[in-house]
Amino acid sequence: MKVLIIGGDGYCGWATALHLSSKGYEVAILDSYVRRLWDLQLGVSTLTPIAQLEQRVDRWKGLSGKDIPVFVCDITQYEALISSLRRFPPDAIVHFGEQRSAPYSMISRDHAVMTQVNNVVGTLNILYALKEEFPDCHLVKLGTMGEYGTPNIDIEEGYITIEHNGRKDTLPYPKQPGSMYHLSKVHDSHNIHFACRVWGLRATDLNQGVVYGVLTDETGMDEVLINRLDYDGVFGTALNRFCIQAAVGHPLTVYGKGGQTRGFLDIRDTVRCVELAIAHPAEPGQFRVLNQFTEQFSVEQLALLVQKAAAAMGLKVEVNYLENPRVELEEHYFNAKNTKLLDLGLQPHYLSDSLLDSLLNFALKYKDRVDVKQILPRVKWKG
Amino acid sequence: MKVLIIGGDGYCGWATALHLSSKGYEVAILDSYVRRLWDLQLGVSTLTPIAQLEQRVDRWKGLSGKDIPVFVCDITQYEALISSLRRFPPDAIVHFGEQRSAPYSMISRDHAVMTQVNNVVGTLNILYALKEEFPDCHLVKLGTMGEYGTPNIDIEEGYITIEHNGRKDTLPYPKQPGSMYHLSKVHDSHNIHFACRVWGLRATDLNQGVVYGVLTDETGMDEVLINRLDYDGVFGTALNRFCIQAAVGHPLTVYGKGGQTRGFLDIRDTVRCVELAIAHPAEPGQFRVLNQFTEQFSVEQLALLVQKAAAAMGLKVEVNYLENPRVELEEHYFNAKNTKLLDLGLQPHYLSDSLLDSLLNFALKYKDRVDVKQILPRVKWKG
């Protein structure tokens, strides 16, 4: 079974490509390297010294015997996309190929427009390519739990059954995204839903929570296979960022009161969730939505867990409550469903002391690469 | 009070500009003329011989004594937009400046991408311009009833209160748009909602039904002020198109079974609704949604009404049920609320025999301009 990983040079994409390759899928990677360009433009870099993609796949071939062809392509260019697909006709496409940082999308008008155009046009191009030439291909699209915002009712998986004035219907779950990036994912979801409804395409939208961790069975096999790990104020996400802050003795940066609650998951579960989605594809015409996280935490809870794990290793770290650069509720109800992937067979890796130990030790190993000037948030949602 | 009409050279925009000017508002028009370019590119043209915008506003000045400055500008170009706004700092912006045809958006991938990028980027640019320099300006944005699709429950105005598992919240009404164009309006709605929530902007989204009619008090004053009236398969909308078909003896083109039910309104109510929205602005931070239509009809009902009115004038016309070029439910529940504009003071012009007579007579007057080759739908949603 041929699986094309779009954005396969990125954090989730690279881990997923190797995992699926090791599981016997015929994998190819399509990437434009623009994620590496953004690091250069922002003057930031991953904690880990990541190799170039060609080196990575060469080493993987040496270790596993498996080929991963690489297509260097920007999916906003339709002709380049369709010609790549013709050379590697996929049974499934895993689409990680979007600008994925909320702060990046909020830097300026240019960044907001670029994020929305890049993400929306890339996904539209994939949908048209599937409609025209690969109508049975299963699109597995990375969405985000952030599409839902923080409603005062339980968050269901993509749809909600509403009774209203004596009638009933099951409708797309209302969306209240919190950044120009999250908005782009909502736009994608509506576009993909339309393509399934009207053209009969099959798609799974994985509304993923915040991913943490760095090693998977495959990326841990060799330093050339090492995955990226972002800690900067633009691309770094909560738990990973906290562990790196602890390793360099920087106070943990909680935004506002820290009561913001979100869904989280280990990157080892990300790769497994994608595998489960591919192995159990959506039906033709179905727009399936799966909430992809394993546990809920508030940001403050995470900071305190990291502080405690660090203390056990002899590292003393403070927790700093910064003025929140975002506009978001800091105390709110949050209860999101996540049973569909469990029903497909996911066995979660829960956040544990041992995971925090290994993440902290990993961060300590590379701490000399940290540029502390990049840690604090510089992008404000307002003003 | 200064009101900028973006897209003021178009069907709704031109009528609105003159109406507000006659009511004492200080009006300017911003337009890129791209709507006229699309006519040229498609080889179609309005039934009515519309004058160039500069001639139109000169004649209006002659008749009314009122100036309407014109800014020739593409709002997807931010610098051009912001410099126009600095020269005419608006208290309210009425935003009609989008690609507004569902069939046009479905012609090809290029048309879909252009429609979404054009509409989303134009609206984002307006939002950023307001945030940066005109935070108190009231944005009155044209949405569409088509954002809602045809759910099996009553359609509320923008939001719905949901009780779920013992908790309750009022959330954005779920959207199931039926074309790449309608999707672009859903994307806009989410973006504008965000800008109100996070930046404190004030906006009114007018989810408009299908507009019919051609004469308003102002556009009827002089032939140079005449409004456009589209009858072609791409830009022509149901009732206007039927009247023109009847005038030239072409069978009325009902798509599918004709049970598709939508909200409709007279263009004289469009201009009045916009005036009411401006006179009663949204509060800072409020994203207000008003459903802007006065009556619901099925497409078949409209065709039969036109057939009957034509017969009374001695015109014999058939109704043809064509294979539906769209993918949509042809029999469905549809009950949409529209009380908010009535509460603000709207006194509807209901569809009547006399209106149909005058529309039919108007169409007869210009029937020699009809190109019958342009009447049938050429754009298919699928295949």
Side-chain angles (χ1 to χ4, degrees), chain A residues 11-13 15-16 96 100 142-145 181 206-216 227-230 235-241 262-271 273-274 292-295 302 351 355 359:
Chain A
Y11 172 57
C12 292
T16 301
F96 291 104
R100 66 115 185 114
L142 268 289
T144 164
M145 288 297 296
Y181 152 72
L206 297 174
N207 280 346
Q208 188 167 245
V210 183
V211 186
Y212 59 79
V214 61
L215 294 180
T216 59
N227 206 346
R228 68 159 49 243
L229 196 64
D230 301 307
F235 282 103
T237 48
L239 184 61
N240 287 345
R241 199 177 69 219
R262 301 288 184 267
F264 288 81
L265 76 164
D266 189 306
I267 193 166
R268 294 172 295 178
D269 291 336
T270 291
V271 303
C273 288
V274 173
Q292 180 166 313
F293 70 96
T294 60
E295 293 173 279
L302 286 182
L351 182 61
L355 186 275
L359 249 181

Side-chain angles (χ1 to χ4, degrees), chain A residues 78 109 112 116 125 128 152 154 156 164-165 167-169 171-172 174 176-177 187 191 194 197-199 381, chain B residues 78 109 112 116 125 128 152 154 156 164-165 167 169 171-172 174 176-178 187 191 197 199 381-382:
Chain A
Y78 185 76
R109 187 197 63 83
Q116 293 208 357
N125 282 348
Y128 272 91
N152 195 39
D154 292 345
E156 301 296 328
H164 184 57
N165 300 344
R167 301 181 64 88
K168 193 156 104 170
D169 202 356
L171 297 172
Q176 299 179 104
H187 305 341
N191 285 341
F194 174 85
R197 219 165 55 226
V198 171
W199 298 334
W381 262 229
Chain B
Y78 185 75
R109 188 197 61 82
Q116 292 209 359
N125 282 348
Y128 272 92
N152 195 39
D154 291 345
E156 301 295 329
H164 184 55
N165 299 345
R167 302 181 62 90
D169 202 356
L171 297 172
Q176 298 178 107
H187 306 341
N191 285 341
R197 219 165 55 224
W199 298 334
W381 262 228
K382 192 175 181 175

Side-chain angles (χ1 to χ4, degrees), chain B residues 130-145:
Chain B
L130 297 187
K131 165 184 180 270
E132 296 298 334
E133 302 193 22
F134 308 94
D136 202 47
C137 175
H138 178 210
L139 174 62
V140 178
K141 164 69 166 47
L142 268 290
T144 164
M145 287 299 294

Side-chain angles (χ1 to χ4, degrees), chain A residues 234-301:
Chain A
V234 172
F235 282 103
T237 48
L239 184 61
N240 287 345
R241 199 177 69 219
F242 290 157
C243 288
I244 295 164
Q245 290 170 344
V248 299
H250 190 286
L252 309 186
T253 52
V254 171
Y255 300 165
K257 294 179 184 160
Q260 304 93 310
T261 301
R262 301 288 184 267
F264 288 81
L265 76 164
D266 189 306
I267 193 166
R268 294 172 295 178
D269 291 336
T270 291
V271 303
R272 178 72 178 137
C273 288
V274 173
E275 182 189 357
L276 288 167
I278 292 172
H280 306 274
E283 299 295 323
Q286 185 188 9
F287 176 62
R288 178 176 62 169
V289 183
L290 310 177
N291 290 349
Q292 180 166 313
F293 70 96
T294 60
E295 293 173 279
Q296 294 183 181
F297 298 101
S298 74
V299 172
E300 182 181 43
Q301 282 177 318

Side-chain angles (χ1 to χ4, degrees), chain B residues 23-154:
Chain B
K23 292 293 175 186
Y25 291 91
E26 194 179 335
V27 171
I29 285 174
L30 187 154
D31 205 291
S32 71
Y33 302 133
V34 72
R35 174 68 189 85
R36 295 182 187 238
L37 177 66
W38 294 329
D39 268 357
L40 293 169
Q41 291 172 338
L42 292 171
V44 301
S45 86
T46 153
L47 176 76
T48 43
I50 56 175
Q52 299 226 2
L53 184 56
E54 290 291 349
Q55 294 175 281
R56 287 172 148 189
V57 298
D58 282 352
R59 183 60 55 95
W60 178 246
K61 166 86 175 177
L63 290 166
S64 70
K66 293 169 196 285
D67 276 310
I68 299 183
V70 170
F71 297 89
V72 180
C73 168
D74 178 348
I75 61 170
T76 66
Q77 306 299 314
Y78 185 75
E79 289 306 320
L81 170 64
I82 194 81
S83 81
S84 301
L85 295 179
R86 286 175 189 148
R87 285 188 286 156
F88 186 86
D91 300 297
I93 288 176
V94 184
H95 178 23
F96 291 104
E98 300 204 325
Q99 196 297 95
R100 66 116 185 112
S101 158
Y104 189 89
S105 76
M106 299 300 292
I107 292 173
S108 72
R109 188 197 61 82
D110 281 341
H111 290 79
V113 167
M114 187 284 274
T115 298
Q116 292 209 359
V117 171
N118 180 72
N119 293 3
V120 167
V121 174
T123 297
L124 281 176
N125 282 348
I126 293 170
L127 294 173
Y128 272 92
L130 297 187
K131 165 184 180 270
E132 296 298 334
E133 302 193 22
F134 308 94
D136 202 47
C137 175
H138 178 210
L139 174 62
V140 178
K141 164 69 166 47
L142 268 290
T144 164
M145 287 299 294
E147 294 187 32
Y148 300 114
T150 52
N152 195 39
I153 57 173
D154 291 345

Side-chain angles (χ1 to χ4, degrees), chain A residues 77-311:
Chain A
Q77 305 298 315
Y78 185 76
E79 289 307 320
L81 170 64
I82 195 79
S83 81
S84 301
L85 295 178
R86 286 174 189 148
R87 286 187 288 156
F88 186 86
D91 300 297
I93 288 177
V94 185
H95 179 20
F96 291 104
E98 300 203 326
Q99 196 297 94
R100 66 115 185 114
S101 158
Y104 188 90
S105 75
M106 298 300 292
I107 293 174
S108 71
R109 187 197 63 83
D110 281 342
H111 290 78
V113 168
M114 187 284 275
T115 297
Q116 293 208 357
V117 171
N118 180 72
N119 293 2
V120 167
V121 174
T123 297
L124 281 176
N125 282 348
I126 293 171
L127 294 172
Y128 272 91
L130 298 187
K131 166 184 180 269
E132 295 298 333
E133 301 192 22
F134 309 94
D136 201 47
C137 176
H138 177 210
L139 174 60
V140 178
K141 164 69 164 49
L142 268 289
T144 164
M145 288 297 296
E147 293 186 33
Y148 300 114
T150 52
N152 195 39
I153 58 174
D154 292 345
I155 294 171
E156 301 296 328
E157 303 198 52
Y159 301 89
I160 184 169
T161 299
I162 302 176
E163 288 199 44
H164 184 57
N165 300 344
R167 301 181 64 88
K168 193 156 104 170
D169 202 356
T170 298
L171 297 172
Y173 197 97
K175 302 294 178 70
Q176 299 179 104
S179 75
M180 288 290 172
Y181 152 72
H182 290 99
L183 283 157
S184 77
K185 293 282 194 183
V186 171
H187 305 341
D188 284 340
S189 294
H190 283 100
N191 285 341
I192 301 169
H193 191 185
F194 174 85
C196 294
R197 219 165 55 226
V198 171
W199 298 334
L201 298 186
R202 53 169 88 211
T204 300
D205 203 359
L206 297 174
N207 280 346
Q208 188 167 245
V210 183
V211 186
Y212 59 79
V214 61
L215 294 180
T216 59
D217 287 348
E218 298 80 19
T219 62
M221 285 170 68
D222 188 298
E223 190 144 11
V224 173
L225 303 181
I226 202 166
N227 206 346
R228 68 159 49 243
L229 196 64
D230 301 307
Y231 64 90
D232 62 277
V234 172
F235 282 103
T237 48
L239 184 61
N240 287 345
R241 199 177 69 219
F242 290 157
C243 288
I244 295 164
Q245 290 170 344
V248 299
H250 190 286
L252 309 186
T253 52
V254 171
Y255 300 165
K257 294 179 184 160
Q260 304 93 310
T261 301
R262 301 288 184 267
F264 288 81
L265 76 164
D266 189 306
I267 193 166
R268 294 172 295 178
D269 291 336
T270 291
V271 303
R272 178 72 178 137
C273 288
V274 173
E275 182 189 357
L276 288 167
I278 292 172
H280 306 274
E283 299 295 323
Q286 185 188 9
F287 176 62
R288 178 176 62 169
V289 183
L290 310 177
N291 290 349
Q292 180 166 313
F293 70 96
T294 60
E295 293 173 279
Q296 294 183 181
F297 298 101
S298 74
V299 172
E300 182 181 43
Q301 282 177 318
L302 286 182
L304 298 177
L305 285 170
V306 171
Q307 187 180 44
K308 182 164 149 257

